[in-house]
Amino acid sequence: MKKKISIAFFGLFLGIHVSAQHTHTQSDSTKHLKEVKITAIAKKKIETDMKMAVSVDEFLASSENISFIKRGAYAWEPLLNNMSTERSTLTIDGMHVFGACTDKMDPVTSYVESNDLSGINITSGQEGNMHGATVAGSIDLKRKSIPFGMERKWSGAYQSGFEFNNRQFFNLSNLSYSTERFTADGRVSFRKAGNYRDGKNDEVNHSQYNKFNTSLGLAYKTGDLSSVRVDAIYDKAKDVGFPALPMDLWLSRAIITSASYKQLFDEGLLRVWDSKVYFNAIEHYMDDTTRPENLVHMDMPGWSTTYGLLSRVHLKKDSYSSEIQANAYENLSIAEMTMYPQNRSKKTMFAYSWPWVMTRFAGLSMNNTWDISERSRLNFGGSLGWNYNRSKYVEFNWIFHPATPQEKSRILPGLHASYRLEIDQFAFSVGTGYGHRAPSVSEGYGYYIYNSFDRYDYIGNPDLKNEISYEGNASAGFRNERMGVEAKVNYFYIQNYIVGRILSLGSPMNYQSVGVKGYTSLDHARLFNLSLNANYDILRHLHWKGMLSYARATDDKKGNLPFIRPLSYQTSLYFMHRKLGVWTSVNGDFEQQKYSPEYGEDQTPAYMIWNISGDYTLNFKGYQAVLQIGAENLFNTYYSTYADWGNIPRMGRNIFTTLKINF
């Protein structure tokens, strides 16, 4: 294995390839302007070079900022800058959506599908505080929006395919209609997969899933420069297995809705005013009825309901521009836990693991950009938020924290600044940030939440202090017509870092638990992230890219923090000529040496995975069809990574095929 890794690492620098789409826009009126300066940002399609029919999780995994905790083949937990989801802000078009599972088996990313998204905005550190208080940054899932007055009134796409390892069959389709004043777009997706097989060809039980997702968007142009829009998403997952947990998902449902108004201005300081109200409701039912080996059975349903609004204005005057956003929401999180003996007619215990916790948030954020010259730019901004919590059944918290108040209010400030300089083909940046975050619902009010990774029951603490983050970041890059190289680094010093520590009082409630941990604050923690990426056009039709990333994190005793990615790499070659495209890539992790037994981790060995795929494009009578076939983990490597909950093995060789038709 070490020899393979050495071969793969030879000549390895890393890069990121961004592909832009050319879109046709039609104006509503003609005006003579003196000068127009356009700054365009190229966005990736929601697919990777290797695979068209990726899930949202698979697409996010292609970013150097994102890693995942995996408890199965479905609903991976995204880690931004090697920090858990409590420390980042996950939104859909700026809307806050909170999962209903105490085991974090339903992150926001599990309630959308790739065919419903136009892009994903990943913002690191305090620059991500536009949608609320954060430490790690923000991940905003941007839904597709059909422009008014397209050349073709009707357009759409259909994609179908099959993956052989887990016998996954999927269908993704979308249809849109556009006129000068009205647009409508609808999308439907369905995925059904069985248990997958690992690199030893053994079946990994309880790794199946079944997912249905549909969405609808309607927009109407109320004036030459104004419009209204309503959107809705419905998502349903059932019979989802989690091999790393002692229970599975029976049913999860979500409804996510919004109504927005947008006004553009063709002159003056104010350029855009965009406001939105939204509502979403999630229900999530975990149980272990498929696990007859459990001596005691448990039902764990959860509910999350959120109302919110946001209003954003964009200001521009000469070389200065500013974005100001007001954001407010109210969320109610409820989770129950009921235990039964083998005879389910006899209930033995009931408790609220989230005791009807209400969270209210109101915040104001600002991001400013000043183009000092054609080569230099200053970006700065800040946020100020108010966070309020109230536990309806506070007596659950009083068991471990007597006389703790039923209500808690917090002030959450944030600041950031960065400077970018471009000199010929070189680009440099440096930045800093400061911000607070409030404890999550589980950290503050959780009651006997079982963690199967370290096998402890966790208790929340409403009196935890705010986490306070001090951040520094920098980058340097070079680019010419044939190649590009960029290095990025960031460093976080986080005071009052929240972790779980063993409690001397209390007995475990779950028979599989070895003890009880309570959330507490360390004096501080340090996190360091480094990435290097590069790309090179070897020939006109042959391109190379690669990525190398490294992270290090320690607590106040210089002990290792959990789920920190070891040195990892990706490298790939891409050949494209006329209608044919061929991709091959190698990716892997080095041995994880900085692991944390205190938090349940053990050492994981190095691994290397080789993938290959090819596609062919056909055009006929206004239609475009793309056929793709490929193989992941071509050599059927048996491996488990640092982020695989309970060391569950990853999928072995997986041959996939996809057909996509655009019209």
Side-chain angles (χ1 to χ4, degrees):
M1 177 63 72
K2 291 183 179 179
K3 183 178 180 180
K4 290 183 179 179
I5 291 175
S6 299
I7 295 172
F9 187 74
F10 178 75
L12 177 75
F13 285 19
L14 306 167
I16 273 189
H17 172 71
V18 178
S19 60
Q21 292 180 327
H22 298 283
T23 58
H24 176 81
T25 58
Q26 182 174 330
S27 59
D28 299 300
S29 59
T30 302
K31 294 190 178 184
H32 296 283
L33 303 176
K34 293 181 180 179
E35 181 182 0
V36 177
K37 183 178 179 181
I38 299 175
T39 302
I41 300 176
K43 290 185 177 180
K44 272 192 171 184
K45 295 182 290 184
I46 308 300
E47 60 186 50
T48 64
D49 291 339
M50 284 294 305
K51 195 175 182 181
M52 292 191 302
V54 295
S55 65
V56 175
D57 292 341
E58 289 174 317
F59 178 75
L60 278 170
S62 65
S63 168
E64 76 269 22
N65 298 94
I66 305 292
S67 54
F68 285 94
I69 294 176
K70 296 186 179 182
R71 300 169 177 89
Y74 180 82
W76 306 341
E77 179 188 352
L79 307 182
L80 176 56
N81 283 322
N82 284 280
M83 290 185 246
S84 60
T85 50
E86 292 90 350
R87 295 181 173 89
S88 58
T89 303
L90 276 69
T91 53
I92 301 175
D93 283 335
M95 300 183 294
H96 287 264
V97 182
F98 297 94
C101 178
T102 56
D103 287 331
K104 299 196 285 188
M105 290 318 309
D106 63 336
V108 176
T109 49
S110 68
Y111 290 115
V112 292
E113 256 294 350
S114 56
N115 68 327
D116 194 35
L117 300 179
S118 63
I120 301 176
N121 291 345
I122 302 172
T123 310
S124 178
Q126 289 304 312
E127 290 189 4
N129 63 23
M130 287 301 294
H131 300 305
T134 184
V135 169
S138 67
I139 302 173
D140 189 32
L141 309 174
K142 307 299 294 184
R143 298 188 64 241
K144 289 180 180 178
S145 179
I146 304 301
F148 294 100
M150 294 179 64
E151 283 186 335
R152 299 177 61 177
K153 287 188 175 182
W154 292 95
S155 62
Y158 172 74
Q159 188 171 359
S160 182
F162 187 78
E163 299 193 10
F164 286 83
N165 185 294
N166 59 351
R167 304 178 305 283
Q168 179 189 169
F169 178 71
F170 58 87
N171 284 285
L172 310 174
S173 62
N174 56 275
L175 182 65
S176 60
Y177 174 78
S178 174
T179 67
E180 289 293 329
R181 304 194 71 86
F182 176 76
T183 68
D185 58 279
R187 311 178 198 281
V188 178
S189 67
F190 175 74
R191 296 179 185 265
K192 185 175 183 180
N195 292 332
Y196 68 81
R197 293 184 176 274
D198 60 27
K200 295 180 180 179
N201 295 319
D202 293 328
E203 184 174 331
V204 179
N205 293 325
H206 310 294
S207 60
Q208 79 288 343
Y209 60 89
N210 189 324
K211 176 182 172 67
F212 171 79
N213 182 281
T214 185
S215 65
L216 177 67
L218 303 173
Y220 180 73
K221 207 170 189 180
T222 56
D224 289 342
L225 297 174
S226 62
S227 64
V228 294
R229 181 177 176 88
V230 293
D231 288 280
I233 300 173
Y234 174 75
D235 186 272
K236 178 181 179 181
K238 61 180 182 179
D239 187 27
V240 179
F242 295 109
L245 301 179
M247 57 175 51
D248 302 307
L249 172 66
W250 166 61
L251 175 67
S252 175
R253 286 185 294 207
I255 180 72
I256 302 169
T257 62
S258 67
S260 61
Y261 173 79
K262 188 172 187 177
Q263 175 72 57
L264 306 179
F265 302 88
D266 56 1
E267 58 185 17
L269 177 64
L270 179 61
R271 297 300 177 89
V272 181
W273 177 38
D274 191 0
S275 295
K276 177 184 297 183
V277 293
Y278 61 90
F279 164 79
N280 56 75
I282 295 172
E283 52 183 354
H284 195 272
Y285 302 93
M286 297 283 285
D287 67 33
D288 58 359
T289 54
T290 59
R291 308 291 183 97
E293 67 274 11
N294 288 356
L295 299 177
V296 177
H297 290 292
M298 182 182 296
D299 292 341
M300 293 184 63
W303 299 268
S304 174
T305 306
T306 306
Y307 300 85
L309 65 89
L310 55 90
S311 186
R312 176 182 66 92
V313 295
H314 180 72
L315 311 175
K316 185 167 178 60
K317 179 68 173 179
D318 299 327
S319 61
Y320 168 80
S321 64
S322 177
E323 184 177 353
I324 304 172
Q325 180 167 291
N327 179 27
Y329 64 81
E330 178 178 294
N331 170 259
L332 178 62
S333 293
I334 306 169
E336 298 177 353
M337 177 172 51
T338 306
M339 287 188 179
Y340 304 86
Q342 290 286 352
N343 181 0
R344 291 180 64 86
S345 64
K346 298 179 180 180
K347 183 171 67 174
T348 60
M349 188 280 297
F350 172 84
Y352 284 113
S353 46
W354 283 343
W356 289 63
V357 183
M358 177 201 296
T359 301
R360 289 176 180 164
F361 178 86
L364 185 66
S365 305
M366 174 182 285
N367 187 47
N368 307 280
T369 301
W370 177 28
D371 291 328
I372 301 172
S373 68
E374 292 185 354
R375 299 189 306 175
S376 62
R377 169 179 292 182
L378 178 65
N379 183 271
F380 60 97
S383 66
L384 183 64
W386 169 74
N387 190 91
Y388 167 83
N389 290 119
R390 184 181 187 276
S391 175
K392 181 177 181 180
Y393 299 108
V394 71
E395 55 268 23
F396 286 95
N397 305 116
W398 286 343
I399 295 173
F400 290 90
H401 305 283
T404 189
Q406 190 171 17
E407 302 177 0
K408 186 80 171 181
S409 293
R410 303 169 185 269
I411 300 298
L412 307 174
L415 295 169
H416 68 86
S418 63
Y419 175 74
R420 181 175 177 85
L421 176 65
E422 297 181 3
I423 303 175
D424 297 327
Q425 296 168 319
F426 294 89
F428 307 91
S429 73
V430 62
T432 186
Y434 164 83
H436 288 226
R437 82 154 179 107
S440 67
V441 172
S442 290
E443 291 170 338
Y445 299 91
Y447 182 74
Y448 277 100
I449 297 176
Y450 176 60
N451 184 323
S452 60
F453 189 80
D454 61 7
R455 297 179 62 193
Y456 278 85
D457 290 333
Y458 277 69
I459 304 295
N461 181 358
D463 296 321
L464 287 170
K465 297 179 181 179
N466 293 350
E467 278 192 353
I468 304 174
S469 172
Y470 301 87
E471 172 198 350
N473 58 77
S475 70
F478 171 83
R479 183 171 297 277
N480 61 22
E481 293 181 354
R482 294 192 64 179
M483 68 168 292
V485 180
E486 185 179 32
K488 297 180 181 179
V489 62
N490 60 40
Y491 173 80
F492 296 88
Y493 180 90
I494 305 174
Q495 290 181 336
N496 308 322
Y497 190 85
I498 300 173
V499 298
R501 286 287 172 87
I502 297 175
L503 292 176
S504 58
L505 69 160
S507 301
M509 189 174 294
N510 193 311
Y511 81 95
Q512 296 176 330
S513 299
V514 296
V516 179
K517 284 186 177 182
Y519 282 107
T520 186
S521 297
L522 304 179
D523 180 73
H524 67 267
R526 295 183 174 93
L527 291 93
F528 172 82
N529 297 284
L530 169 68
S531 67
L532 175 67
N533 47 68
N535 63 277
Y536 181 67
D537 296 335
I538 301 172
L539 299 170
R540 180 182 177 186
H541 301 292
L542 183 63
H543 313 278
W544 170 86
K545 69 175 183 177
M547 181 173 68
L548 183 71
S549 63
Y550 172 77
R552 183 80 175 96
T554 57
D555 59 21
D556 53 359
K557 306 297 183 184
K558 297 186 178 180
N560 299 319
L561 292 178
F563 298 115
I564 305 302
R565 192 169 194 168
L567 184 64
S568 62
Y569 57 89
Q570 298 177 22
T571 183
S572 64
L573 284 174
Y574 166 43
F575 173 81
M576 185 175 183
H577 183 62
R578 295 182 180 177
K579 300 179 180 181
L580 177 66
V582 179
W583 290 262
T584 183
S585 71
V586 173
N587 66 276
D589 289 352
F590 282 72
E591 182 180 64
Q592 186 198 37
Q593 297 178 340
K594 306 296 183 181
Y595 61 97
S596 175
E598 180 181 356
Y599 298 100
E601 283 192 311
D602 56 15
Q603 190 172 19
T604 52
Y607 70 90
M608 184 184 71
I609 303 301
W610 187 20
N611 311 298
I612 189 169
S613 71
D615 63 54
Y616 189 78
T617 303
L618 291 172
N619 295 289
F620 54 96
K621 296 182 180 180
Y623 294 84
Q624 183 189 69
V626 182
L627 176 64
Q628 184 180 62
I629 186 170
E632 299 168 304
N633 192 359
L634 187 63
F635 291 130
N636 203 32
T637 301
Y638 179 87
Y639 70 107
S640 178
T641 79
Y642 74 102
D644 291 315
W645 203 262
N647 300 122
I648 57 169
R650 292 282 181 97
M651 186 181 290
R653 182 186 301 109
N654 180 37
I655 298 173
F656 61 88
T657 181
T658 307
L659 174 64
K660 184 175 184 179
I661 301 174
N662 297 302
F663 58 90

